[in-house]
Amino acid sequence: MTDLSPKALDQLEAEALTMVSTTADAAALEAARVALLGKQGRISALLGQMGGLSIEDRKTVGPRLNGIRDLVTGAIADRKAALDSAALDARLAAEKVDLTLPAPPRRKGSVHPTMQAMDEMVAIFAEMGFSVAEGPDIEDDFHNFTALNFPPRHPAREMHDTFFFKPGPYGTPKLLRTHTSPVQVRTMRRTNDKPAASWIACGREPPIRIVVPGRTYRMDSDATHTPMFHQIEGLVIDKAIHMGHLKWTLETFVARYFETDEVTARFRPHHFPFTEPSAEMDIGCDRSGGELKIGQGSDWLEILGCGMVHPNVLKNCGIDPDVYQGFAFGLGVDRLAMLKYGIPDLRDMFASDVRWLAHYGFSAFQAPNPASGLS
Ligand code: DAH
């Protein structure tokens, strides 16, 4: 029979409490708990023997043993709390963050000057009442050339200018649009015809007043040409539209874009198949001293092509040229961005050099707004 004398029980209590208080971690504490209070544990075993005691002994041993069990249970809980908090302290010390260290650099994007210029131009035209139309980059011969009154063997159709896709089994080969002018066709035909399959946005009976910002492609690559570049096309169709409207619109645009009233402009006769008469617009500039200044000096800089929409184009789009006429223009966005922001080399614009982009790029918070200022 186990010794259940008061002395033995005192010893049991002392040993159990020491065992608990000297555990080093949670696993050791759990082992001690099992050894003392588990099913086979020392204290549990003694409690199990109570039935074999005399009633007298049970009266003294029972409460004493229960007391030891409660005491040990409490000691285990206290030890667990102490170990947990020590473990947390150790983790906090180990995982400390040194806030005095320099922060790692953050990757930061910027708005490309071409996109900034494009947004500015669209904002100016929007203020004049133009809406924005878009069309597909992958075009067909009809929209890019034929409907725009290009004669069958016009040089611009030839391989050295145009990126053609391999011809498929059906129809004519697709091509990368060489200008944004096909969106004129898509816009006008939309008002009279079923929409083209890849049609996006716009489309209504004249009056039509749209600008078309977009990417264009030509097989051309040197210091002043890149195979991909950006244009904004303009188209106005209504009754009684004449060259005066064209001139006022473009002169107003140029003054707003360069933010000066001093811009001088001239319209030089030119030829485009889709306009008659056609012109190129030059703005006055000064090239002396190696630096280009807009709006002063005696030199001229060509910035866009324009003209009165050719009656054949209107006919090809189902618009009666005896009722409606209009003007159109197309300008190179990258060129005008370079002029405004003083960017010297066109090829850098598309080299994706992050240092260049960080230098010439714009913050996304500098969204162009004609009322509060452009950039
Ligand atoms: N599409 C012409 C080009 O890329 C630019 C142009 C000239 C557009 C005259 C027009 C226009 O709408 O009327 O060179």
Side-chain angles (χ1 to χ4, degrees):
M1 189 69 200
T2 325
D3 185 359
L4 291 173
S5 66
K7 202 172 145 216
L9 291 179
D10 286 350
Q11 198 182 335
L12 168 66
E13 179 186 292
E15 281 174 17
L17 291 177
T18 308
M19 189 172 170
V20 168
S21 67
T22 54
T23 50
D25 55 28
L29 182 62
E30 177 58 12
R33 188 192 65 77
V34 171
L36 295 168
L37 298 174
K39 269 201 195 115
Q40 318 282 322
R42 231 171 120 189
I43 296 169
S44 315
L46 292 179
L47 282 164
Q49 290 174 17
M50 294 293 292
L53 296 185
S54 68
I55 293 178
E56 284 307 300
D57 286 348
R58 228 185 286 168
K59 274 192 185 152
T60 54
V61 174
R64 178 71 181 114
L65 261 181
N66 281 336
I68 294 174
R69 186 195 53 204
D70 293 347
L71 201 62
V72 171
T73 304
I76 289 175
D78 291 350
R79 185 67 189 153
K80 180 165 169 14
L83 287 173
D84 283 352
S85 104
L88 182 62
D89 285 350
R91 236 184 93 194
L92 288 177
E95 294 175 9
K96 186 168 66 174
V97 175
D98 183 353
L99 294 177
T100 64
L101 287 174
R106 273 220 277 155
R107 291 170 71 86
K108 197 170 59 154
S110 60
V111 177
H112 193 283
T114 293
M115 290 303 136
Q116 182 78 14
M118 202 129 143
D119 287 351
E120 287 183 25
M121 293 175 191
V122 168
I124 295 169
F125 284 118
E127 206 187 34
M128 293 187 197
F130 285 76
S131 54
V132 173
E134 286 180 295
D137 287 16
I138 298 176
E139 263 300 357
D140 52 35
D141 181 86
F142 174 77
H143 290 93
N144 198 80
F145 297 126
T146 306
L148 288 166
N149 198 36
F150 279 77
R153 268 172 294 281
H154 193 278
R157 290 175 182 237
E158 281 173 21
M159 291 298 291
H160 67 264
D161 260 331
T162 309
F163 288 110
F164 286 98
F165 288 83
K166 277 205 188 106
Y170 312 107
T172 54
K174 297 275 190 194
L175 49 91
L176 288 175
R177 67 178 176 194
T178 56
H179 49 180
T180 40
S181 306
V183 186
Q184 290 189 23
V185 176
R186 289 181 177 276
T187 303
M188 289 189 279
R189 284 175 67 82
R190 163 79 172 182
T191 62
N192 298 280
D193 210 351
K194 273 200 224 115
S198 50
W199 176 260
I200 315 167
C202 211
R204 55 196 138 97
E205 294 292 323
I208 295 172
R209 210 185 299 160
I210 54 153
V211 283
V212 183
R215 273 189 287 270
T216 49
Y217 308 83
R218 279 181 213 176
M219 224 179 286
D220 222 351
S221 189
D222 58 37
T224 52
H225 296 91
T226 48
M228 188 281 301
F229 56 104
H230 299 82
Q231 287 191 336
I232 290 187
E233 189 82 11
L235 176 70
V236 173
I237 304 285
D238 204 348
K239 293 176 179 160
I241 294 290
H242 55 72
M243 203 76 185
H245 296 121
L246 162 66
K247 279 189 71 181
W248 179 86
T249 303
L250 293 176
E251 282 171 358
T252 306
F253 162 75
V254 165
R256 297 286 281 118
Y257 178 71
F258 286 107
E259 291 174 90
T260 161
D261 287 335
E262 282 158 33
V263 181
T264 47
R266 72 174 183 192
F267 290 81
R268 223 175 350 92
H270 197 73
H271 172 76
F272 297 106
F274 35 91
T275 42
E276 180 59 34
S278 303
E280 279 188 331
M281 182 183 182
D282 299 337
I283 51 173
C285 66
D286 177 19
R287 287 198 180 87
S288 64
E291 206 191 322
L292 182 71
K293 293 195 199 78
I294 301 295
Q296 40 187 287
S298 53
D299 290 327
W300 295 100
L301 185 75
E302 179 230 314
I303 58 160
L304 57 82
C306 57
M308 300 305 293
V309 178
H310 197 293
N312 287 351
V313 175
L314 294 173
K315 272 188 232 151
N316 291 339
C317 297
I319 292 182
D320 183 352
D322 292 331
V323 180
Y324 293 107
Q325 50 299 127
F327 68 83
F329 58 89
L331 56 87
V333 179
D334 311 287
R335 262 288 242 24
L336 285 176
M338 290 168 69
L339 286 177
K340 180 157 179 179
Y341 309 131
I343 298 168
D345 192 318
L346 176 70
R347 284 168 297 192
D348 290 341
M349 299 278 276
F350 308 115
S352 300
D353 183 329
V354 287
R355 295 161 304 179
W356 187 93
L357 290 167
H359 180 77
Y360 286 108
F362 289 81
S363 157
F365 294 115
Q366 273 171 285
N369 175 345
S372 61
L374 299 171
S375 58

